[in-house]
Amino acid sequence: MNETIKIPTVSEKWFNTKVRKFNRHKINEYLQHSPRLSPSTLTQYRSCLRIFARWIYDNCKNKKIVELKIRDGKAYQDWLISHNGSSSNTNVKMAAASELCEYIEKYYEEEYPTFRNPIRKGRERIIKTPRKEKKPLSPEEFELLVTTLKDREQFQRLCYLILTYQTACRRAESPQFSRIIANYTIDDAENYVDDYGVNHRYYLSNPIRCKGPGRLGKVRRFKISNDSMRYVRKWDAVRCERVKNLAIEDKAKGLFVRIDSRGVKDLTPAAFAYWFQYEFSDIIGRSIHPHDLRTSRATDLVVRENKPIEAVSIMMGHNSTETTEQYYVIDNHKDSDAVLL
């Protein structure tokens, strides 16, 4: 497999001083008038469109976007592919450039009646890069993580692991859990009685912006089990003790925070990625990622516990069970039917 050639990030200074004024204004205008893009997608598109502008500068003599031809669209795709990145990475950059051109074609038709989206017309079907095989955490691996974190008294990491696994929330959603939930009492609990008459107590999280279009996305309140709440309260008690010992103020609103002599600050998704890459992976002896918790949760519920996929789909925040089916992993080993002999 060829080594990926990283495409350099285009700085704001370079973009504002080198890119043709027409192109710069149209890119900024498009980004300002795209309310359907989520904040993370908006950031991603801004980076992609600056790369597109840099490519025009280097390969098309910095001409206006409306002067690009179909062959230029094809050339841009070929240039992206030549860097040996993943097909999804290439498609995102092509999509950003194409939507910019669609915007110009649609809203500036009177000024440029002959302009047609060169990206859409010039692009060809990209062969998908093989996806990394999903390997959910086994029950033994998950238990090893829990036991090790308990032994190390790393209660924040333990709280994150249990809560994120149980709710199946995404990495970008975990930092949004508010510290308020640690102060929930029995009066805040919800109750659910299953088909066997067993009562299950749970709590609803604060409203959390989940994956979805627009700036608001899809707002959800996650169901937090009574067991998960024990870890939430334990971590909050440890947090209070650390803050007291350091004699600092704690005004952070999030459940997960960084605490040092300078104060208390909410954690970002990057912190969780760091835990997985440098700590959790080392504990179980293989590379794992925060998203693996969602795959593990779906696999455990559907495959190991035979829970209805419709209910699991709702918990995962999916719009259909077809999406959920892409998450759980069934052992299709050629000898897996030997148990039937």
Side-chain angles (χ1 to χ4, degrees):
M1 185 176 179
N2 294 328
E3 184 179 351
T4 300
I5 305 171
K6 184 174 176 61
I7 299 175
T9 301
V10 177
S11 69
E12 185 172 359
K13 180 179 179 181
W14 192 95
F15 179 76
N16 289 332
T17 57
K18 297 291 186 179
V19 174
R20 189 180 188 126
K21 184 178 180 181
F22 177 91
N23 293 350
R24 186 171 68 249
H25 283 187
K26 288 296 175 285
I27 288 173
N28 288 335
E29 180 184 313
Y30 163 72
L31 293 172
Q32 291 170 4
H33 293 85
S34 298
R36 68 176 188 80
L37 298 179
S38 67
S40 60
T41 302
L42 189 64
T43 300
Q44 188 178 38
Y45 268 35
R46 180 176 291 107
S47 175
C48 290
L49 290 177
R50 288 181 178 180
I51 289 173
F52 181 47
R54 178 65 188 255
W55 180 84
I56 295 173
Y57 179 91
D58 291 338
N59 299 276
C60 300
K61 300 180 180 179
N62 205 22
K63 62 185 177 184
K64 292 181 179 180
I65 293 172
V66 292
E67 295 173 352
L68 294 175
K69 306 299 182 185
I70 294 176
R71 60 177 175 271
D72 294 321
K74 173 67 166 60
Y76 182 56
Q77 183 183 51
D78 291 343
W79 180 79
L80 291 173
I81 293 174
S82 71
H83 286 74
N84 303 320
S86 66
S87 56
S88 59
N89 214 325
T90 298
N91 282 330
V92 167
K93 290 180 174 62
M94 289 292 288
S98 182
E99 291 189 29
L100 167 66
C101 292
E102 288 286 347
Y103 174 85
I104 297 173
E105 180 181 336
K106 181 177 181 179
Y107 295 106
Y108 287 89
E109 183 180 10
E110 293 182 2
E111 291 88 339
Y112 311 104
T114 62
F115 176 68
R116 295 294 180 268
N117 184 348
I119 303 297
R120 183 187 70 239
K121 291 182 171 293
R123 73 186 303 172
E124 295 182 353
R125 184 175 177 273
I126 300 175
I127 299 175
K128 286 188 176 182
T129 307
R131 289 188 176 184
K132 181 182 177 182
E133 181 183 0
K134 292 181 180 179
K135 188 177 181 182
L137 277 73
S138 67
E140 294 76 19
E141 288 176 325
F142 188 80
E143 184 58 33
L144 177 60
L145 280 172
V146 172
T147 303
T148 303
L149 294 176
K150 282 182 179 179
D151 291 342
R152 294 178 179 177
E153 297 187 348
Q154 293 180 314
F155 295 110
Q156 175 165 219
R157 288 162 174 75
L158 181 60
C159 174
Y160 163 77
L161 180 71
I162 296 293
L163 185 61
T164 301
Y165 169 79
Q166 184 257 302
T167 59
C169 64
R170 297 176 177 85
R171 186 182 66 165
E173 295 159 2
S174 296
Q176 298 181 56
F177 280 111
S178 171
R179 190 184 185 184
I180 291 174
I181 65 176
N183 297 317
Y184 283 170
T185 66
I186 191 68
D187 294 331
D188 298 305
E190 304 281 339
N191 291 284
Y192 164 71
V193 180
D194 63 23
D195 295 338
Y196 300 97
V198 178
N199 182 64
H200 299 270
R201 183 184 300 158
Y202 66 91
Y203 300 82
L204 292 175
S205 74
N206 55 292
I208 290 178
R209 186 206 180 281
C210 300
K211 185 177 181 179
R215 292 184 174 86
L216 292 179
K218 183 191 294 184
V219 179
R220 298 178 58 199
R221 297 185 70 186
F222 288 93
K223 293 181 175 65
I224 304 173
S225 71
N226 203 38
D227 185 57
S228 294
M229 282 299 296
R230 291 194 298 108
Y231 291 95
V232 170
R233 292 180 179 123
K234 175 61 179 177
W235 156 236
D236 192 65
V238 171
R239 172 177 172 173
C240 289
E241 187 66 23
R242 288 182 185 173
V243 168
K244 180 181 178 181
N245 291 338
L246 289 170
I248 55 176
E249 279 191 303
D250 185 354
K251 294 183 178 181
K253 296 181 179 180
L255 178 63
F256 302 112
V257 294
R258 185 194 70 197
I259 303 174
D260 56 33
S261 58
R262 295 170 295 180
V264 184
K265 186 176 181 180
D266 291 324
L267 290 183
T268 66
F272 307 131
Y274 181 91
W275 291 352
F276 268 83
Q277 183 176 357
Y278 296 102
E279 298 180 26
F280 295 177
S281 295
D282 185 60
I283 291 172
I284 69 170
R286 68 179 178 90
S287 179
I288 53 175
H289 184 272
H291 201 70
D292 292 333
L293 287 180
R294 279 174 63 82
T295 301
S296 302
R297 183 63 165 151
T299 300
D300 288 344
L301 289 172
V302 176
V303 180
R304 297 192 174 102
E305 300 179 27
N306 295 315
K307 300 294 185 183
I309 191 172
E310 292 79 9
V312 176
S313 183
I314 293 173
M315 184 200 70
M316 300 283 286
H318 293 154
N319 292 326
S320 72
T321 56
E322 291 181 2
T323 305
T324 311
E325 288 172 354
Q326 299 173 21
Y327 272 76
Y328 62 83
V329 177
I330 299 176
D331 184 6
N332 287 321
H333 190 275
K334 63 180 180 179
D335 295 328
S336 61
D337 59 349
V339 295
L340 302 177
L341 298 177

